Amino acid sequence: RDALTATLARDRYVPVFLDPRLLDLHYNGFCNSVLWQLFHYVPLNIDSKLQETQTLQVQWQAHQEANRRFAEVVFAHYREGDVVWVQDYHLMLLPALRNLRKP
């Protein structure tokens, strides 16, 4: 991680590291199992079984946490006048998290 961070810093990039479980629940779980279908007009296959409902809730929480972690990194490095580009739906909660920014 240190070597990657140093390499990216040369081009003024800052990585956000997510642990494998959070990444899987966020990306493969909520983003690909829910958001991708919604944005590509594919009907959701949501079953009302308690276990699947709990899984969806865990994925949603992971999605929120991943966005929060990205927001923390953005705001730790943001300077007045910077442009922050949020690409695609994976981080669509990020703009609403501006209240995490320290004055």
Side-chain angles (χ1 to χ4, degrees), residues 6-101:
T7 299
L8 291 171
R10 283 182 247 162
D11 291 320
R12 297 179 28 192
Y13 293 107
V14 180
V16 177
F17 296 106
L18 303 176
D19 63 78
R21 183 172 189 274
L22 178 63
L23 178 61
D24 183 55
L25 288 168
H26 160 67
Y27 185 79
N28 295 317
F30 196 77
C31 290
N32 289 344
S33 297
V34 176
L35 295 179
W36 189 91
Q37 279 90 342
L38 291 173
F39 291 133
H40 294 89
Y41 305 104
V42 176
L44 291 176
N45 184 16
I46 296 183
D47 196 330
S48 62
K49 294 179 188 174
L50 179 60
Q51 182 178 0
E52 291 180 17
T53 302
Q54 288 174 336
T55 299
L56 184 59
Q57 183 63 33
V58 170
Q59 291 174 350
W60 168 240
Q61 290 169 348
H63 180 65
Q64 292 174 306
E65 177 64 16
N67 274 260
R68 187 185 65 74
R69 291 190 188 183
F70 271 85
E72 288 173 350
V73 171
V74 167
F75 295 134
H77 294 88
Y78 179 83
R79 300 294 174 258
E80 190 67 37
D82 286 351
V83 174
V84 178
W85 182 289
V86 179
Q87 176 68 35
D88 222 343
Y89 56 87
H90 304 88
L91 297 174
M92 70 183 197
L93 300 179
L94 197 138
L97 297 173
R98 65 184 173 273
N99 59 337
L100 295 177
R101 184 175 180 205

